Amino acid sequence: MKRESWLRLLKDAIAKLEQWENQWPSHALAAPNKADVEAVLDLVDRLQDNYPFFHPQYAGQMLKPPHPIAWLSYALTALINPNNHALDGGPATAALELEAVAELAGMLGFSTAPGGFLGHLTSSGTIANLEALWVARELRPGRRIAYGANAHYTHARMCRVLGVEGVEVPADKNARLDMGALENILRAEDIGTVVVTLGTTGLGALDPLQEVVLLARRYGFRVHVDAAYGGFFSLLARREPPLVDPVPFDALAEADSVVIDPHKHGLQPYGCGCVIFRDPRIGSLYRHDSPYTYFTSGDLHLGEISLECSRAGAAAAALWTTLRVLPLQPHGGLGHLLAAGRRAALAWAQAITQEENLHLAVEPETDILCFFPMPSAGKHRASTISTWSDAVFKKTMARGADGLYLAKIKLERKFLEKQDVDIEWDIDRLTALRSVLMKPEHEAWQARLHQVLCEVVESVIRQSHYTEN
Ligand SMILES: *Cc1c(COP(=O)(O)O)cnc(C)c1O
């Protein structure tokens, strides 16, 4: 770990910030006492109860530390702790937020001309989606919201929060929104909004947004795109040759609203989601009158276009600084980092298809892999495969410094039957393994991780033969 140079930079930056503070009469900060020191060292002990999210051997959930430039900028700004609810709370970070959000909007294909969109940061993708669905409900009162069975679980929950009836659309054999099923639902029910996911949380699938946009013209529903995970992959769609299917991303400019999570692929600490609306006039829906917050400026405050009140100005500062260093470019900047994880997923998927004992559940469309142990000879019970997955999950992790940290996912029988996978279905949901390859280092580590996986799968299947016979 080479944090030393970053800590030096933080120290220099704090020294510069202190020159600004020193305009005011001196204001002493007590040095850490014994209790402070003990508390912090105890925290270090407690923090070790974590999986090694920082390391390429951790290839499980959507987790990794922020880029050093992001935590440094966050820590520095937190010394002031501005609140982006209003210009009174943080004029500098409010400006940084507007600039950073404009860059995200531009990447997603929105017009960045004045009045071309309306957007802001949120504390999470869930809250960002809640805002988009709330706006959808206000503009399509009494009508239902359709979302995929592959969509994030919070869409169903937020529909309940909003008192809107949600309708689940099944997934097709590629784990994308099933367009035939969607059209049947559109014919039968009064759907006001359809949620499309670009980069599903489970399998990283890209719903066919371009086809949904065409249906929207015919049926007149709103299109909300949940790109919390996959939004940044629009950079890879614009590479030559593209590293992900560019077609759904090209349709983003026609979406009514889009959510993207900088705290997932934007290298930010948690607390940074974003929602963007195509029509800035929806800002009037947020209208409220606060007797105690806005008084130093007549300009539109971020708090006037956001459901949340307090939001960390430090989150905006961290994102803004990160984008300076890692611009939203297909080949350089952030695109360069994302491409490595995408290539790792493609290479690992390829390696898995060559293995006798492994089955790739679906071709990866982003950087998420899904597979399960299943010898190609014979027909196996879903419950046996699930037991193998559980064992592989535990044993790869138990190897510790020599191991691999994966995640698990339940795949529905209905989904795998669409692919004609030959499984004896004694249970309705099969446990599979899932790996999110979101660190660029995964590319260099992929072959080694695959080897660990194969060794463990081999031993798990061999052992289960002994116990069965
Ligand atoms: C992670 C995720 C969410 C939820 O976002 P949070 O930031 O965790 O609240 C919503 N939708 C998708 C597709 C996601 O991947």
Side-chain angles (χ1 to χ4, degrees):
M1 281 285 139
K2 293 270 184 288
R3 292 208 180 92
E4 213 53 48
S5 50
W6 290 100
L7 292 173
R8 263 199 314 273
L9 176 56
L10 178 59
K11 217 172 133 207
D12 291 347
I14 291 175
K16 189 172 172 205
L17 191 66
E18 282 176 349
Q19 292 171 12
W20 170 72
E21 292 176 338
N22 288 340
Q23 295 172 72
W24 288 273
S26 93
H27 170 75
L29 181 67
N33 61 26
K34 191 160 162 278
D36 296 325
V37 172
E38 272 171 18
V40 170
L41 296 180
D42 283 349
L43 170 65
V44 176
D45 291 339
R46 297 294 293 264
L47 285 176
Q48 290 171 40
D49 181 19
N50 259 311
Y51 301 102
F53 304 126
F54 64 92
H55 200 278
Q57 279 166 307
Y58 184 86
Q61 312 273 18
M62 294 169 174
L63 280 158
K64 64 172 178 180
H67 192 282
I69 200 81
W71 63 251
L72 186 157
S73 308
Y74 196 104
L76 180 72
T77 310
L79 293 176
I80 300 172
N81 202 25
N83 186 332
N84 274 16
H85 81 282
L87 288 172
D88 306 301
T93 44
L96 298 179
E97 175 166 344
L98 293 176
E99 289 174 35
V101 170
E103 288 189 43
L104 294 176
M107 175 185 72
L108 296 171
F110 288 89
S111 161
T112 50
F117 71 92
L118 189 76
H120 59 87
L121 300 180
T122 61
S123 56
S124 70
T126 303
I127 295 297
N129 278 316
L130 170 67
E131 290 202 17
L133 296 188
W134 167 70
V135 166
R137 185 197 72 181
E138 297 299 292
L139 296 177
R140 297 284 190 281
R143 300 175 68 187
R144 295 179 179 179
I145 295 177
Y147 46 80
N150 60 356
H152 199 265
Y153 72 93
T154 48
H155 289 287
R157 175 186 288 172
M158 289 311 169
C159 283
R160 290 199 296 276
V161 169
L162 292 166
V164 180
E165 237 179 293
V167 182
E168 191 176 284
V169 185
D172 69 10
K173 69 175 182 2
N174 298 309
R176 305 177 191 139
L177 201 65
D178 184 322
M179 291 306 292
L182 174 62
E183 203 160 357
N184 288 339
I185 289 170
L186 290 170
R187 280 197 212 99
E189 307 200 30
D190 187 17
I191 303 292
T193 302
V194 174
V195 176
V196 177
T197 309
L198 287 191
T200 58
T201 316
L203 303 176
L206 304 172
D207 285 346
L209 176 59
Q210 68 285 3
E211 293 172 34
V212 177
V213 163
L214 292 180
L215 288 180
R217 291 190 196 141
R218 198 149 95 233
Y219 291 90
F221 54 82
R222 280 179 70 80
V223 179
H224 169 59
V225 180
D226 181 358
Y229 187 70
F232 287 98
F233 284 90
S234 61
L235 295 173
L236 301 191
R238 272 189 247 130
R239 280 165 78 107
E240 267 319 317
L243 264 174
V244 301
D245 183 1
V247 179
F249 289 99
D250 286 344
L252 266 173
E254 295 196 55
D256 293 295
S257 49
V258 181
V259 159
I260 180 169
D261 260 357
H263 68 203
K264 279 182 182 156
H265 257 307
L267 308 166
Q268 299 307 298
Y270 286 116
C272 195
C274 178
V275 62
I276 298 171
F277 296 93
R278 186 144 58 100
D279 184 353
R281 287 170 304 179
I282 62 100
S284 64
L285 296 172
Y286 290 90
R287 194 175 299 131
H288 65 278
D289 185 21
S290 161
Y292 35 76
T293 42
Y294 314 125
F295 39 80
T296 56
S297 161
D299 291 353
L300 190 68
H301 290 285
L302 286 160
E304 290 173 283
I305 54 160
S306 163
L307 278 188
E308 292 172 271
C309 181
S310 295
R311 287 179 307 109
L319 179 60
W320 182 88
T321 318
T322 305
L323 295 181
R324 287 265 316 251
V325 179
L326 292 162
L328 300 173
Q329 289 167 358
H331 287 275
L334 197 61
H336 179 69
L337 299 187
L338 248 78
R342 170 65 179 147
R343 285 192 301 259
L346 288 171
W348 200 351
Q350 176 64 20
I352 286 170
T353 55
Q354 320 259 300
E355 292 298 329
E356 280 287 294
N357 286 332
L358 285 171
H359 178 85
L360 185 71
V362 64
E363 280 299 325
E365 292 199 273
T366 51
D367 57 4
I368 302 178
L369 278 186
C370 181
F371 51 86
F372 46 85
M374 185 173 79
S376 49
K379 184 166 177 160
H380 307 277
R381 275 185 228 122
S383 59
T384 309
I385 294 170
S386 297
T387 312
W388 288 334
S389 291
D390 284 327
V392 171
F393 173 79
K394 280 201 202 108
K395 290 195 168 176
T396 46
M397 188 154 60
R399 287 169 55 141
D402 184 30
L404 165 65
Y405 296 78
L406 295 166
K408 294 193 273 187
I409 183 170
K410 302 254 191 214
L411 300 178
E412 301 284 335
R413 172 181 183 168
K414 279 183 293 186
F415 165 62
L416 287 169
E417 277 180 343
K418 287 183 189 169
Q419 301 186 342
D420 296 324
V421 193
D422 201 16
I423 291 172
E424 193 181 320
W425 286 102
D426 58 338
I427 50 174
D428 277 336
R429 290 170 100 201
L430 172 148
T431 306
L433 294 158
R434 172 172 163 270
S435 177
V436 179
L437 297 167
M438 71 190 310
K439 291 187 275 276
E441 297 83 1
H442 279 137
E443 188 174 24
W445 278 74
Q446 171 271 314
R448 191 160 153 186
L449 301 183
H450 180 63
Q451 199 189 332
V452 173
L453 172 69
C454 290
E455 282 171 26
V456 173
V457 166
E458 242 267 344
S459 87
V460 161
I461 292 178
R462 193 161 10 94
Q463 266 179 19
S464 92
H465 285 316
Y466 286 134
T467 46
E468 265 173 35
N469 300 336

